[in-house]
Amino acid sequence: MRKEIFNQSKKTNPFYLFLNNFMDINARKFVLALLFLVSLNSFSQTNIRVFERNDYLSSIKNSSVRNYNTVLDLMDGVQSSIYLTNEGVRVIGQIPVCMYSDVSSLSLASNPDMRISNIEMVTIKIDKPSELTSIIDLSIVSRYKNVKYIYFRIGFDFKLPQLIQLIKNCDPKCIVIYSVEKGA
């Protein structure tokens, strides 16, 4: 009796009917594999957009010269800025739009007295390979209201997957950019 009820409910279940009547075995495998990949991706921490500096600048130059100039100016121009160092927080200018830090001083970014409302780019300097051994928690800086870019300036050769694995809690609205600047 139970088996009969189960078989009848299967026959009237719209999802079951769809699978059996409209999809062959290969299509079912494909859908299951796709669902599996989507679920893995949703739990993944690596939904971070990471670009090499020159590649990113080239890609935006083709689409918007104005945006290109803005990003280039944030990277290389003279801006009102906040500097986080092991000596503390230093602000230069009236309305800071850039923040500069090294990995060990990044925790100072949570200082509630800082003028962060206009920060658009956070630049993090990594000078030695030993600084790429612990988690880089970007939760504080990536959630600043206007931050769009987090720029890693790395002073040695490294493997990108190593950096990506260490970056945690980066807001998806932020674009992560890196450059290798040996001897800088």
Side-chain angles (χ1 to χ4, degrees):
M1 178 77 155
R2 233 181 204 186
K3 196 173 184 181
E4 261 180 40
I5 293 171
F6 177 72
N7 284 337
Q8 278 210 318
S9 67
K10 275 176 48 177
K11 291 175 186 173
T12 59
N13 183 332
F15 182 72
Y16 180 80
L17 290 172
F18 172 76
L19 283 178
N20 280 324
N21 294 332
F22 299 106
M23 297 176 66
D24 66 1
I25 192 77
N26 289 330
R28 277 187 247 160
K29 286 180 183 178
F30 174 76
V31 169
L32 289 174
L34 186 62
L35 288 172
F36 178 74
L37 290 174
V38 168
S39 67
L40 275 181
N41 192 33
S42 67
F43 292 113
S44 172
Q45 183 81 32
T46 58
N47 290 333
I48 304 169
R49 297 177 292 173
V50 181
F51 300 91
E52 193 278 327
R53 173 194 161 110
N54 294 331
D55 292 343
Y56 183 71
L57 289 172
S58 294
S59 72
I60 62 172
K61 187 175 188 177
N62 296 333
S63 62
S64 167
V65 173
R66 182 173 177 234
N67 193 25
Y68 170 82
N69 289 335
T70 301
V71 174
L72 193 58
D73 199 33
L74 287 169
M75 287 179 171
D76 297 335
V78 177
Q79 307 289 338
S80 293
S81 301
I82 298 174
Y83 293 85
L84 308 177
T85 65
N86 48 359
E87 285 98 39
V89 177
R90 190 175 81 207
V91 179
I92 297 178
Q94 295 298 315
I95 303 171
V97 293
C98 293
M99 177 182 285
Y100 296 91
S101 181
D102 55 28
V103 175
S104 62
S105 302
L106 199 55
S107 61
L108 296 173
S110 64
N111 183 336
D113 299 328
M114 285 194 308
R115 295 177 280 170
I116 56 157
S117 61
N118 294 313
I119 299 293
E120 293 181 42
M121 180 174 282
V122 175
T123 300
I124 302 169
K125 183 93 168 120
I126 302 174
D127 290 321
K128 299 175 277 193
S130 61
E131 294 175 293
L132 272 182
T133 56
S134 61
I135 300 299
I136 303 170
D137 186 356
L138 298 177
S139 61
I140 298 164
V141 294
S142 70
R143 289 194 173 63
Y144 289 170
K145 181 175 77 173
N146 287 317
V147 75
K148 298 175 188 109
Y149 310 99
I150 298 177
Y151 179 31
F152 286 94
R153 296 175 75 169
I154 302 172
F156 55 92
D157 288 324
F158 75 104
K159 304 269 189 244
L160 183 58
Q162 182 183 10
L163 177 64
I164 291 172
Q165 286 177 341
L166 295 175
I167 295 173
K168 299 296 181 214
N169 304 318
C170 185
D171 194 309
K173 73 174 180 173
C174 295
I175 296 171
V176 176
I177 303 167
Y178 74 94
S179 65
V180 175
E181 301 172 2
K182 293 187 280 186

